[in-house]
Amino acid sequence: DKEATLSIGNIALAPSDNNILYVGTGEANIFRASLPGVGMYKTTDGGKSFKHIGLENTGTIARVVVHPANANTVYVAASGNEWTYNKDRGVYMTRDGGKTWKQILYVDEKSGCIDLVMDPSDPNILYASMWNRIRKRWSDPMPEEGDHLYKTIDGGKSWKKMGLDKTICIHRLVIDPATPNTVYAAAIGNPYGIHPERGVFKTT
């Protein structure tokens, strides 16, 4: 009750230290009553105390991914402000536990990252789903350029677009831990009409 927001988008426990937990604020699902967040929080004492660690202008945070061996290396999927254009969207990374952040994937002022997953066999491989996440006051988000799936194999230094260009909002990503090259993508599709590019897609 004493914090700046009550809305939580995602949390992630550091695999290498279960006393370290990162919390991303802001409701990532795009509803008319969604509440924005104020960035990232962190605890190093198992939740006894939390400290704000930046990204306050990201609006909403959809996913937090912590490096399996280094608790100071964290990736954040920022989906952005629901109602207005803003540049604080995309994928962010910190190597110092949240003291500083770098935006490592940015598309435009409308496209935010709605999901982010890391290959369990190689932490340098990540997949990011970008969603044109702007709600007009007279309508829900409409199909527009900006909904794409991206992949990095060098820890976010460079990204490559991966097909599925005709899908609308790849809302969730899942990697098969037994065969990490297999990725499943759930696409919502056009909410206002018949749209064949919806459902669950698989790539190997």
Side-chain angles (χ1 to χ4, degrees), residues 17-28:
D17 188 340
N18 59 15
N19 284 312
I20 297 178
L21 179 73
Y22 292 90
V23 179
T25 63
E27 173 56 62

Side-chain angles (χ1 to χ4, degrees), residues 82-135:
E82 182 176 351
W83 295 95
T84 61
Y85 300 97
N86 68 303
K87 295 182 179 180
D88 298 287
R89 303 174 182 266
V91 179
Y92 288 83
M93 178 186 183
T94 179
R95 292 187 181 276
D96 54 19
K99 294 178 182 178
T100 59
W101 294 91
K102 181 180 180 181
Q103 189 182 46
I104 58 173
L105 177 60
Y106 173 78
V107 176
D108 56 43
E109 293 182 337
K110 297 184 293 183
S111 301
C113 187
I114 192 63
D115 205 8
L116 180 69
V117 292
M118 178 182 285
D119 188 323
S121 66
D122 186 345
N124 286 312
I125 299 176
L126 295 100
Y127 299 86
S129 175
M130 301 297 290
W131 179 17
N132 188 335
R133 190 182 185 279
I134 288 289
R135 177 188 288 278

Side-chain angles (χ1 to χ4, degrees), residues 11-12 14-15 20 31 72 90 111 117 119 138 175 192:
I11 62 175
I20 297 178
F31 300 118
N72 287 321
S111 301
V117 292
D119 188 323
W138 57 89
I175 296 178
Y192 291 103

Side-chain angles (χ1 to χ4, degrees), residues 8 16 36 40 45 48 60 64 68 70 72 74 76 81 84 92 100 109 113-115 117 141 152 155-156 179 194:
I8 303 298
S16 60
M40 290 288 298
D45 55 16
K48 295 177 182 178
T60 52
V64 181
N70 185 352
N72 287 321
V74 183
V76 168
N81 192 298
T84 61
Y92 288 83
T100 59
E109 293 182 337
C113 187
I114 192 63
D115 205 8
V117 292
T152 178
T179 55
I194 298 174

